[in-house]
Amino acid sequence: MTRVTLRVLDGADRGQVYEDLEPPVTIGREEGNTVQLNDERISRFHLKIQEDQGKLVLTDLDSTNGTRVNGEDTQLRILRFGDVISLGRSVLLFGTRDQIAHRLEELRNDGIAENNELMVDELAKRVDSKSLSFELHLGASEDLQSTLHIPMPPDLPTQLSPGQAAAVSEILEYLHLRTRQLVQSAEIDEEHGKITIPIANWQELLEMQSQLAEYLRHIVGDPEWS
């Protein structure tokens, strides 16, 4: 079982460390939570972190002011070491120093794009297991909060039934065909370093984004999916 370590970077409880917690972990302002924070802007029971198939999953418990991970509003998310969780006025860092340093090394070994490599190097210099400067620097910079949130392909779900696997395959094939059509319609202007697509295809791209938003809403908001 993966244990949970959370360090408070900002808020009334700044500097507090909650380590080696056994999931499920709940966070909120009321007694009875695994982590009780002194923050009037978070809900009584704000979010939960639980383990599922070897991964730690964060779920927002219909909180009043919501939850953000690496600056993005979220209701349901797989956590990775180095993720920054924001709720109310509180900012928490997920993972121990060693876990985050190990993830940084993995990202380097996987070959990160040049612009992200610079950001990761900047953060890596601040990983010092003998000081608190790592948390302080992270809390002070919004740019660094998303350093480890590099858009890499997530793992596909495992142990699906044949019907579930077919449904996932159908959705992915649908998205693949539509994106291929949009890519093929693009006009490349190498001289000016620009790519243009017809406005009708741009509208189609927006329609596809809307469809994805509906899928996400069904998955995270429909009780039949949980």
Side-chain angles (χ1 to χ4, degrees):
M1 176 179 292
T2 304
R3 298 281 179 158
V4 175
T5 293
L6 297 164
R7 288 175 280 162
V8 184
L9 305 181
D10 205 357
D13 300 284
R14 183 172 57 189
Q16 184 71 261
V17 179
Y18 303 92
E19 54 188 344
D20 203 31
L21 303 177
E22 182 177 344
V25 171
T26 60
I27 303 175
R29 71 169 192 270
E30 192 158 292
E31 291 183 7
N33 285 284
T34 314
V35 175
Q36 182 183 8
L37 296 176
N38 182 25
D39 187 337
E40 74 279 3
R41 295 201 61 185
I42 69 175
S43 297
R44 294 165 55 246
F45 291 88
H46 196 102
L47 65 85
K48 176 173 64 174
I49 299 173
Q50 60 189 338
E51 188 172 23
D52 183 44
Q53 297 185 20
K55 300 181 185 297
L56 289 171
V57 181
L58 178 150
T59 305
D60 181 90
L61 301 175
D62 293 325
S63 63
T64 301
N65 293 314
T67 301
R68 288 179 292 129
V69 177
N70 302 320
E72 297 290 333
D73 292 331
T74 188
Q75 292 177 286
L76 186 67
R77 185 187 184 93
I78 295 174
L79 289 176
R80 294 172 175 82
F81 300 127
D83 281 349
V84 177
I85 305 167
S86 302
L87 58 162
R89 293 187 173 90
S90 302
V91 180
L92 289 73
L93 178 65
F94 172 66
T96 66
R97 292 180 178 88
D98 288 343
Q99 287 170 335
I100 295 172
H102 180 67
R103 185 175 177 216
L104 284 168
E105 185 63 28
E106 286 183 336
L107 291 174
R108 287 196 194 88
N109 292 338
D110 287 341
I112 303 172
E114 184 176 351
N115 60 332
N116 285 329
E117 185 70 55
L118 294 175
M119 295 176 65
V120 171
D121 282 344
E122 183 177 357
L123 180 59
K125 294 174 183 176
R126 301 168 190 234
V127 179
D128 181 357
S129 60
K130 298 180 181 179
S131 73
L132 292 175
S133 61
F134 181 41
E135 288 92 340
L136 296 177
H137 282 302
L138 255 180
S141 170
E142 292 183 0
D143 290 337
L144 288 178
Q145 288 186 7
S146 61
T147 298
L148 293 179
H149 180 47
I150 296 172
M152 301 177 70
D155 294 331
L156 286 170
T158 58
Q159 300 179 351
L160 298 177
S161 69
Q164 291 171 328
V168 171
S169 177
E170 187 175 14
I171 291 172
L172 293 178
E173 184 176 7
Y174 162 78
L175 295 172
H176 172 71
L177 292 175
R178 293 195 70 175
T179 52
R180 183 176 67 183
Q181 180 183 5
L182 292 170
V183 169
Q184 291 175 343
S185 72
E187 297 180 2
I188 302 175
D189 183 352
E190 295 184 356
E191 181 179 354
H192 298 93
K194 295 182 179 180
I195 296 177
T196 59
I197 62 173
I199 191 168
N201 287 8
W202 168 253
Q203 291 297 325
E204 185 176 355
L205 181 61
L206 294 177
E207 173 63 26
M208 187 164 60
Q209 182 181 12
S210 174
Q211 182 66 63
L212 286 170
E214 291 181 29
Y215 284 153
L216 290 170
R217 182 175 178 83
H218 281 302
I219 291 172
V220 303
D222 189 340
E224 292 185 1
W225 282 83
S226 57

